[in-house]
């Protein structure tokens, strides 16, 4: 078939709902990643006075958990479906927001590393199904445009202001507010995942 001449117009005209849902389901991935890396690094080195090389080493350990979660979550997405995996990871991320203040604020190297490992593990679990889910949400004519737009819009919503918002929250309300931000981002993505139709067995056309 002839390619669509203006795929962006076609996308926003006829596929706005999956575009928005795809972007919203991505929000928790970016929130987890940037809160765990950019914000936590800043907070740990300035407020908690942890040496920067030491905190970076802690993050290097945590990244291994994200690397482990990614293939496991991808396999689970293929076996059980994208939605169940995303909903489960999102619910776990929602609960993890309540651990941010006591664990990150503890000043304990062990507790902070454990929290970073947990958050990046959940980030990997929530991120892995996206490579299959987003393309499956759009027909062939706008598949690349739709998946790319949803992915990047999710990044704008979930990542662009996350470290700044977290910094303002901790200044005006404390770490518990930052935890609330993580839980809110997770709730948004869970609701979006619930609204999605399962795509695992969808015949791509």
């Amino acid at each position: 078939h002839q390619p669509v001449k203006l795929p962006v117009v076609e996308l926003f005209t006829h596929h706005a709902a999956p575009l928005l849902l795809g972007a919203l389901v991505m929000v928790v991935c970016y929130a987890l990643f940037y809160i765990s890396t950019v914000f936590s690094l800043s907070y740990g080195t300035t407020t908690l006075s942890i040496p920067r090389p030491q905190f970076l080493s802690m993050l290097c350990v945590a990244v291994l958990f994200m690397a482990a979660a990614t293939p496991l979550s991808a396999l689970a997405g293929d076996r059980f479906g994208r939605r169940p995996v995303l909903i489960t990871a999102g619910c776990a991320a929602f609960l993890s927001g309540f651990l941010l203040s006591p664990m990150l604020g503890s000043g304990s190297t062990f507790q902070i590393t454990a929290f970073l490992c947990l958050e990046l593990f959940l980030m990997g679990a929530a991120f892995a199904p996206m490579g299959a889910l987003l393309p499956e949400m759009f027909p062939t004519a706008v598949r690349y445009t739709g998946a790319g737009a949803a992915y990047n819009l999710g990044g704008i919503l979930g990542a662009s202001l996350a470290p700044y918002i977290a910094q303002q929250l901790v200044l005006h309300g404390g770490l518990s507010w930052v935890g609330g931000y993580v839980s809110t981002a997770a709730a948004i993505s869970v609701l979006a995942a619930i609204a999605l139709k399962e795509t695992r067995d969808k015949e791509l056309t």
Side-chain angles (χ1 to χ4, degrees):
H1 300 292
Q2 290 295 321
V4 178
K5 292 183 178 180
L6 296 172
V8 174
V9 175
E10 173 76 12
L11 179 68
F12 280 93
T13 302
H14 300 289
H15 306 284
L19 172 63
L20 179 60
L21 290 175
L24 292 178
V25 82
M26 288 289 302
V27 167
V28 67
C29 300
Y30 288 106
L32 287 171
F33 185 79
Y34 283 93
I35 295 299
S36 301
T37 55
V38 178
F39 169 75
S40 294
L41 176 62
S42 174
Y43 186 84
T45 55
T46 56
T47 304
L48 301 179
S49 300
I50 298 175
R52 186 179 181 87
Q54 181 181 351
F55 204 98
L56 289 173
S57 298
M58 293 157 63
L59 281 171
C60 286
V61 173
V63 167
L64 297 177
F65 283 78
M66 183 176 72
T70 302
L72 294 175
S73 180
L75 288 170
D78 285 343
R79 181 172 181 180
F80 303 108
R82 321 321 182 190
R83 289 177 72 251
V85 173
L86 292 172
I87 291 171
T88 301
C91 288
F94 176 85
L95 295 176
S96 77
F98 296 94
L99 298 176
L100 189 148
S101 180
M103 295 187 75
L104 184 59
S106 67
S108 164
T109 300
F110 176 78
Q111 289 195 49
I112 295 172
T113 303
F115 176 75
L116 296 175
C117 291
L118 172 63
E119 295 299 89
L120 289 182
F121 181 90
L122 293 175
M123 188 273 172
F127 187 78
M130 295 302 173
L133 173 71
L134 294 180
E136 291 168 347
M137 293 175 64
F138 302 95
T140 303
V142 293
R143 180 162 297 140
Y144 192 88
T145 302
Y151 182 91
N152 286 286
L153 181 58
I156 293 171
L157 295 175
S160 58
L161 295 176
Y164 174 77
I165 292 174
Q167 189 64 39
Q168 293 304 308
L169 288 174
V170 78
L171 288 175
H172 295 92
L175 275 178
S176 59
W177 284 35
V178 182
Y181 177 79
V182 172
S183 295
T184 300
I188 290 171
S189 291
V190 167
L191 292 174
I194 292 173
L196 287 173
K197 294 180 179 179
E198 180 56 58
T199 62
R200 183 188 61 170
D201 298 320
K202 179 181 178 182
E203 184 177 347
L204 299 182
T205 57

